[in-house]
């Protein structure tokens, strides 16, 4: 009789899971905010405010799920160096959890990542490794992890499978629970962007699993491959170009993007994303990020469609992160001008929508 016993001391693993779960217990669920629309419209818009997570963005949920997934799969243990390819926000959140567990963390990020985000990664104890072109992040992260004997977290592959989409207080379950006492507890639309595709996969699966009539719209910025891949049905679709809206948009269709659970995709110009972020910041009295602007542009267009059809109901989207991280880009007039982005036309569309509910975008 032969035995091959690879059992190890799971003391570190047990404690690591406990620390992550304890962090979850300390962090109350994020708020669902009402965005002010004219009551006569009969349509309510809600923002799931993910900026209130300890690391300030929607990516906190993803990082927590990725760490639990990697630890419980035996890929991460005591002393493992964590390496991730990220445009910024995921790296901030993963650095937080790595620090919580006493692990080294290296973020492979594009050179164009905002200085504010790099500072936040470093503030969490992480190190940044910059690459010239975003498509280089994947191979460089894998190379660094192999070189140091660490673990490449690979959010773009594992995002859709790391989260329990059936429930367990995922973002979709939280949205529907928080809507339970509202006038329209089952929204007509939920609108999200795609960076890895993990959030849209979780929400789309949950909607089907719970047999809700809600439809899922995914908004996509310029240069991103998700819209083109969805339109053509080609999972290998690539643009090879970076997104100017940090946190969403990718140069290729990522493995975690499940287009089959998406009911509609909306391509949003970058100027519109930035104008909508500025518009919402003025309405809410607080700055929101560019990806929130992308979400709102899509949500406003869908609300205008509902109004034109005489339908009442509700729409939900995400406030992904705060806008203070982008003081030197989206909220600095010099930056969009340098990018050749003209904000006046989309600002006029938003003003007309606010005034009449009509959509001219």
């Amino acid at each position: 009789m032969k035995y091959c016993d690879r059992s190890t001391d799971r003391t570190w693993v047990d404690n690591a899971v406990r620390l992550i779960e304890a962090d979850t217990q300390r962090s109350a669920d994020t708020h669902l905010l009402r965005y002010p629309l004219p009551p006569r419209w009969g349509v309510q818009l809600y923002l799931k405010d993910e900026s209130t997570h300890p690391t300030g963005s929607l990516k906190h949920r993803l990082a927590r799920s990725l760490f639990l997934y990697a630890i419980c799969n035996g890929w991460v243990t005591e002393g493992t160096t964590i390496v991730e390819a990220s445009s910024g926000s995921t790296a901030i959140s993963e650095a937080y959890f790595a620090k919580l567990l006493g692990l080294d963390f290296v973020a492979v990020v594009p050179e164009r990542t905002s200085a504010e985000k790099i500072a936040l990664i470093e503030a969490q104890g992480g190190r940044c490794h910059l690459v010239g072109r975003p498509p280089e992040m994947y191979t460089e992260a894998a190379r660094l992890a192999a070189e140091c004997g660490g673990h490449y977290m690979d959010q773009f592959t594992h995002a859709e499978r790391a989260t329990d989409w059936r429930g367990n207080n995922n973002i979709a379950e939280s949205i529907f629970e928080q809507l339970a006492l509202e006038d329209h507890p089952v929204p007509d639309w939920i609108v999200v962007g795609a960076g890895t595709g993990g959030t849209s996969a979780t929400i789309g699966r949950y909607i089907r699993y719970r047999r809700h009539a809600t439809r899922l719209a995914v908004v996509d910025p310029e240069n991103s491959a998700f819209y083109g891949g969805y339109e053509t049905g080609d999972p290998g679709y690539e643009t090879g170009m970076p997104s100017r809206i940090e946190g969403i948009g990718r140069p290729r269709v990522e493995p975690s993007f499940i287009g089959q659970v998406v009911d509609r995709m909306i391509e949003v110009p970058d100027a519109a994303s930035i104008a909508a972020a500025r518009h919402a910041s003025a309405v809410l009295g607080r700055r929101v990020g560019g990806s929130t602007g992308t979400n709102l542009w899509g949500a406003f267009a869908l609300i205008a469609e509902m109004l034109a059809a005489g339908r009442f109901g509700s729409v939900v989207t995400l406030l992904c992160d705060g806008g203070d991280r982008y003081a030197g880009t989206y909220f600095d007039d010099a930056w969009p001008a340098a990018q050749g982005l003209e904000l006046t036309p989309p600002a006029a569309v938003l003003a007309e929508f606010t005034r009449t509910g009509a959509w001219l975008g």
Side-chain angles (χ1 to χ4, degrees), residues 89-102:
S89 288
T90 302
I92 296 167
S93 298
E94 287 190 14
Y96 170 90
F97 284 104
K99 183 178 181 181
L100 180 70
L101 303 179

Side-chain angles (χ1 to χ4, degrees), residues 122-242:
E122 293 174 343
Q124 295 293 349
R127 292 182 287 117
C128 292
H129 182 90
L130 276 59
V131 295
R133 297 178 61 250
E136 297 170 359
M137 293 192 306
Y138 315 99
T139 54
E140 185 64 5
R143 184 191 70 78
L144 287 175
E147 186 178 86
C148 70
H151 175 65
Y152 171 29
M153 196 69 86
D154 195 2
Q155 59 166 323
F156 300 108
T157 296
H158 297 127
E160 58 90 8
R161 63 197 69 168
T163 301
D164 183 356
W165 51 269
R166 297 172 188 84
N168 196 22
N169 196 36
N170 67 41
I171 191 168
E173 183 177 58
S174 175
I175 287 169
F176 280 95
E177 286 185 351
Q178 290 175 319
L179 283 172
L181 300 180
E182 300 298 311
D183 291 340
H184 304 284
V186 177
D188 286 56
W189 290 95
I190 296 179
V191 182
V192 299
T196 61
T199 299
S200 60
T202 298
I203 293 173
R205 288 165 169 168
Y206 184 86
I207 287 169
R208 284 157 174 73
Y209 180 60
R210 292 299 183 189
R211 295 178 287 113
H212 292 306
T214 304
R215 288 176 291 173
L216 173 64
V218 171
V219 288
D220 206 33
E222 289 179 30
N223 300 336
S224 178
F226 292 120
Y227 184 88
Y230 184 83
E231 185 179 43
T232 63
D234 179 7
Y237 191 92
E238 296 186 13
T239 65
M241 301 173 68

Side-chain angles (χ1 to χ4, degrees), residues 277-288:
R278 292 184 173 197
H279 176 86
S281 297
V283 171
L284 297 172
R286 51 179 287 200
R287 283 183 173 178
V288 301

